[in-house]
Every structure is written in structure tokens, then in C-alpha cells.
Amino acid sequence: MRLVLLGAPGAGKGTQAKLLIEKYNTPQISTGDLLRAAVAAESDLGKEAKSYMDRGDLVPDRVVLGMVKERIAHDDCLSGYILDGFPRNTAQAEALDGMLAEMDMALDAALSVDVPMEDLMKRLTGRRTCQKCGQMYNIYFSAPAEENKCDKCGSELYQRDDDREETITKRLEVYESQTAPLIEYYTGKGICRSVDGTGAIDEIFATVCETLGLD
Ligand code: AMP
């Protein structure tokens, strides 16, 4: 399955992607995660990306496209993958189509996870992630048993630099103006599906699987 996950920041794309990976053993390619790893490693690419990310802007297409092209050529992607946070604008979507055509491949679906704008701010400002195992929490909706500690592995939780209020507003604006039009782009190709991203995570996941025709 070659799947694009669409949805505003905080819609729960990453959470649903992680559940799909656990169940179907498909690699998740999150450009946000790849960029954060580059920033942490202080590579040239990471240094360039950081200023855009801190402002809530998109990193230039050429940086992201190079990363994705390299990643989808790996052997573990032969039977499919989940693209999480990519493409983010029409130019990236067209470039992805071009890359796939070169490999004689096509996307199976683009799935939009829909959450009302008014819910997203709380989801994003409350988001915390375990620095060791990546487990995600929300201090408003799904807080860990002990403050700031991961229930699974006991490590400390952190808040992403770009999950602060001023950056979030910008990221939501960027989503509306640049990424939301992709729903129409993939609808035009006949492969766009959508699910309601509000409610319990496991119920959303059941709908995701059903919508994608997965057992
Ligand atoms: P995310 O974790 O997907 O919310 O991404 C965090 C930040 O990384 C975004 O606000 C952008 O600055 C950058 N980013 C992630 N994916 C992309 C992409 N496909 N194109 C451009 N910038 C991206």
C-alpha cells in the first residue's frame, strides 16, 4: 500500500500512521521526523531547515524532495509505505507523481484526517512526546500517569519547539493555504478518502482501516 496521509498539524496523522505500521508492518516516512533528526544531528541540511521549522514555514521543496526520493528508493519501501506530512503543497505532490512514474509505481490512496480548526490548537499545545520511545501524550486529553514521564518506558517527555502557540498559528495558516488544496488535487485523481479525526484513537483507526479497505 502506498498511502499519503493528509491533515492539519495536530489532526493525528502521526498517531494513525504509527498504528498502521504496527498492524501492517509498513514503513512510515515522516518528513517532519526526518527533518527533526537532521536538526538534531546538526547536519548542513538540518541547519538550513531549522529556521523555517522554528517559524512554522515549510522547508524549501528541494530539501524535502531530495530526502523523500532517497528514502523511497530503499528496499523496505518496495511493497509500500505511508507518507506522513508529505506532500505539503502542489509542487511536492506533482514531484512525487513524477518520482513514482519513474519507478513505474502509483499511489493507492490519499487519506485526509479531518479535525475542526478549533480543536487543533489544544491538541498541539498539549502535545508531549517521549524522548526515548516516541510515545505521544496530550496533557489535556491523554496525560501520562506521572507528570512529564512516559508510561511505557519512564523517560522524560518533551514539547516540540514548533508546538508553541505563536508557531502553531503560522503552521495552521500554512496548512490552510498550501496543503489543504491537495485534497482537491487527489480528489481529481480519484484516490482521495477522508475520515473524521475526532473521538477515540482506536475508533478512528478502525474507520481508517475500513475506509482503506484493509482487514
Ligand atoms: P510535521 O512534523 O509534519 O508537522 O513537520 C514539522 C515541520 O517540518 C513543518 O512545520 C515544516 O517546517 C517542516 N516540514 C515537514 N514536512 C515538510 C514538507 N513535506 N515540506 C516542507 N516542510 C516540511
Side-chain angles (χ1 to χ4, degrees), residues 9-10 13 30-33 35-36 49 52-54 56-61 64 67-68 84-89 92 127 160 162-163 167 171 174:
K13 298 185 299 292
S30 157
T31 42
D33 285 350
L35 288 165
R36 280 184 286 282
Y52 295 94
M53 294 169 78
D54 286 348
D57 273 326
L58 293 183
V59 172
D61 291 344
V64 177
M67 255 171 30
V68 172
D84 167 11
F86 176 89
R88 275 300 226 274
N89 57 27
Q92 291 183 9
R127 183 156 70 177
R160 279 170 44 172
D162 60 354
D163 274 349
T167 317
R171 288 165 65 208
V174 167

Side-chain angles (χ1 to χ4, degrees), residues 115-189:
V115 172
M117 271 296 163
E118 56 270 27
D119 294 359
L120 294 171
M121 190 56 98
K122 226 174 181 182
R123 284 193 180 201
L124 289 164
T125 51
R127 183 156 70 177
R128 301 289 183 277
T129 310
C130 173
Q131 54 187 2
K132 194 159 173 219
C133 74
Q135 178 64 37
M136 298 207 258
Y137 298 87
N138 188 295
I139 56 168
Y140 303 114
F141 310 120
S142 53
E146 199 178 329
E147 195 181 345
N148 227 27
K149 269 214 169 131
C150 180
D151 291 345
K152 279 193 172 170
C153 72
S155 301
E156 210 171 310
L157 307 182
Y158 73 95
Q159 180 178 35
R160 279 170 44 172
D161 284 344
D162 60 354
D163 274 349
R164 298 176 202 276
E165 207 155 325
E166 52 293 358
T167 317
I168 290 170
T169 307
K170 173 72 180 175
R171 288 165 65 208
L172 292 175
E173 278 168 20
V174 167
Y175 172 77
E176 277 297 321
S177 61
Q178 301 199 45
T179 313
L182 293 182
I183 294 178
E184 213 166 298
Y185 180 87
Y186 288 117
T187 301
K189 292 184 175 289

Side-chain angles (χ1 to χ4, degrees), residues 6-56:
L6 294 172
K13 298 185 299 292
T15 303
Q16 294 302 320
K18 289 205 164 53
L19 292 170
L20 286 166
I21 302 163
E22 267 172 34
K23 190 158 175 195
Y24 299 102
N25 206 16
T26 307
Q28 169 201 21
I29 303 175
S30 157
T31 42
D33 285 350
L34 292 173
L35 288 165
R36 280 184 286 282
V39 170
E42 297 182 4
S43 65
D44 288 345
L45 187 154
K47 283 181 198 151
E48 183 181 358
K50 189 172 181 341
S51 60
Y52 295 94
M53 294 169 78
D54 286 348
R55 287 197 305 269

